[in-house]
Amino acid sequence: MAVPTPVLTLESITRTLQGGVKQAAASVTTAPTATGIDFLTTQHVTIDGFTDDYATVPAKTINIAIPTCVQTIKPDANGYLPPGTCNALWDYYPSFSAALAFTVIFGLLTLAHIYQGIAHKKRFCWVIAMASFWETMAYLFRTVSTRYQQNTTIYLVFQIFILLSPLWVNAFDYMVLARMIYFFVPSHKVFNIPAPTLAAGFVTFDFVAFIIQLAGGSMASPTAPAEEQLRAIHIYMGGIGLQQFFVVVFVAFAVKFQLDMSNVDGLREPSTNWKSGWRPLLYTLYGSLACITVRIIFRLVEFSSGSTDVSNPLLSNETYFYVLEAMPMLLAILAFNIIHPGSVLVGPESEMPGFVTTCANFFRGRGKHKRLDESDDEEMTVYGHSR
């Protein structure tokens, strides 16, 4: 009698593998191995062999190394842990007094900008007040974080405020130059672009950079996996790179305005005060943009090697942060307290249409041109039929 040839079926293979996995689950062991920063937990998964009428499979042990964060050092009273160790949020011991000092300074600048905006009746100056307020909140959360260095939420809120607040200063720079063009240039244009359109365009570009940096900054949580942190840093670097590109393009418009003003006769000087001309305010604008550029370069160099490289001096020395981040932004905001746009842009002619009005007029104008085009087409059709 012929013996039937054994046939492997999907059901038999699945049943055999399920049995092996069940047996392996009971034989998993771990062996932590120190690596200096984190720990590697090695999981030994053993799949038992089996023998049946169809095949014989020997037992197999699979070793899987999984990075595991194991805190072995006790934090101090403020939650500090040495840089590079598990759960260490800071790459240095942050200064409480320095953070508190900048909180107070930016708070005073915020109050000063609110007062100046109201005194000069310049509604658009809420933007620079918001920039100063965000800086104040950033250093307030930094101050609190120095006392609660294990709290990731406080650290993340500080990080978002400090990374995004310069964009408010950028937006204010765009708005100031547009209003200077509208007020001083007889045609209200530079490169044949109306001042309101120029402001609306660059503010929109600034908002795009804001969204990109917000996405990167919110993803760069200190507790996130290293790969996710690196991806977040790349997104953020792309955002500030785009921000700097817009700044460079914007400077070209500022230089063109300066050249045009040099050729204008009879400049409209609202008063004889030395601050009332366009030059001091334009130089203040240049200084603000220069401070933002210094800060952007600092951030690009800082993040170029990632956020976890403790050998990077820009990451491991707090002095660089205050010299290349805090001071440039302080000077960029303080400059407009000293040379306030409201002291230069005086009178009804200084009031330029805002962002919403400009966008509404733009779309209303497009609709008007469309209706005119349709009317011309109808007239041509009637004229053709009459012939």
Side-chain angles (χ1 to χ4, degrees):
M1 179 183 245
V3 179
T5 303
V7 179
L8 289 175
T9 64
L10 179 60
E11 181 180 358
S12 65
I13 295 175
T14 303
R15 185 169 56 253
T16 302
L17 291 177
Q18 287 176 346
V21 171
K22 289 180 180 178
Q23 293 174 0
S27 59
V28 173
T29 60
T30 59
T33 304
T35 63
I37 297 179
D38 294 327
F39 279 74
L40 289 179
T41 298
T42 303
Q43 293 188 355
H44 306 287
V45 180
T46 302
I47 301 178
D48 293 340
F50 64 90
T51 301
D52 57 17
D53 295 337
Y54 307 110
T56 298
V57 178
K60 181 69 174 178
T61 300
I62 302 175
N63 299 325
I64 304 176
I66 301 176
T68 303
C69 185
V70 178
Q71 183 173 318
T72 58
I73 302 176
K74 183 179 179 180
D76 69 359
N78 295 324
Y80 173 78
L81 288 169
T85 58
C86 184
N87 294 332
L89 300 182
W90 294 91
D91 294 319
Y92 45 74
Y93 207 114
S95 171
F96 172 83
S97 58
L100 181 61
F102 275 89
T103 301
V104 174
I105 294 173
F106 277 112
L108 293 175
L109 294 184
T110 302
L111 295 177
H113 271 298
I114 293 175
Y115 169 77
Q116 289 176 305
I118 295 174
H120 292 293
K121 298 180 180 179
K122 296 298 179 183
R123 290 180 296 178
F124 77 96
C125 288
W126 72 269
V127 177
I128 191 65
M130 184 64 74
S132 187
F133 174 73
W134 275 47
E135 291 284 353
T136 304
M137 295 303 297
Y139 288 96
L140 176 61
F141 277 95
R142 184 183 178 92
T143 303
V144 176
S145 183
T146 63
R147 291 293 187 260
Y148 298 91
Q149 297 184 33
Q150 291 290 294
N151 192 310
T152 57
T153 301
I154 296 175
Y155 181 86
L156 182 60
V157 173
F158 151 71
Q159 184 172 259
I160 290 176
F161 273 118
I162 202 68
L163 293 179
L164 299 181
S165 54
L167 287 160
W168 288 102
V169 184
N170 249 149
F172 187 70
D173 289 338
Y174 299 151
M175 298 167 75
V176 168
L177 180 63
R179 281 160 174 77
M180 291 177 68
I181 296 170
Y182 191 84
F183 183 62
F184 287 110
V185 178
S187 65
H188 308 309
K189 296 179 180 181
V190 167
F191 288 130
N192 206 32
I193 299 177
T197 304
L198 181 69
F202 274 98
V203 169
T204 301
F205 298 152
D206 194 60
F207 180 73
V208 172
F210 180 93
I211 294 299
I212 296 174
Q213 294 181 41
L214 176 61
S218 59
M219 289 171 56
S221 170
T223 58
E227 291 184 0
E228 184 174 337
Q229 287 190 29
L230 188 60
R231 182 166 55 251
I233 288 173
H234 288 163
I235 293 175
Y236 176 76
M237 290 178 66
I240 59 175
L242 190 64
Q243 177 187 358
Q244 184 59 36
F245 171 75
F246 294 148
V247 169
V248 172
V249 175
F250 178 74
V251 168
F253 284 90
V255 172
K256 182 63 167 65
F257 165 76
Q258 183 176 0
L259 295 176
D260 289 346
M261 288 303 300
S262 299
N263 298 326
V264 171
D265 295 327
L267 301 180
R268 292 173 290 182
E269 301 276 355
S271 71
T272 58
N273 190 296
W274 71 275
K275 295 189 300 183
S276 62
W278 60 270
R279 284 187 176 85
L281 184 55
L282 182 63
Y283 296 153
T284 301
L285 182 70
Y286 284 147
S288 175
L289 293 172
C291 289
I292 292 175
T293 299
V294 169
R295 183 259 177 191
I296 288 176
I297 294 174
F298 161 66
R299 288 298 185 179
L300 287 173
V301 176
E302 178 190 29
F303 291 141
S304 61
S305 59
S307 63
T308 58
D309 186 3
V310 295
S311 64
N312 185 345
L314 296 181
L315 290 172
S316 57
N317 192 327
E318 189 176 23
T319 303
Y320 290 111
F321 171 82
Y322 280 105
V323 172
L324 299 175
E325 166 71 43
M327 284 304 301
M329 296 315 304
L330 174 63
L331 295 175
I333 294 174
L334 177 62
F336 286 112
N337 285 115
I338 300 173
I339 309 294
H340 195 273
S343 64
V344 177
L345 307 175
V346 180
E349 293 183 356
S350 66
E351 298 300 324
M352 189 186 78
F355 178 81
V356 176
T357 303
T358 301
C359 293
N361 291 338
F362 174 77
F363 289 109
R364 189 181 300 117
R366 289 190 62 183
K368 180 179 179 181
H369 288 306
K370 182 178 180 181
R371 288 193 298 271
L372 289 175
D373 291 341
E374 291 175 351
S375 177
D376 291 342
D377 291 340
E378 292 176 358
E379 291 180 359
M380 291 298 295
T381 302
V382 172
Y383 175 75
H385 287 166
S386 64
R387 297 188 63 182

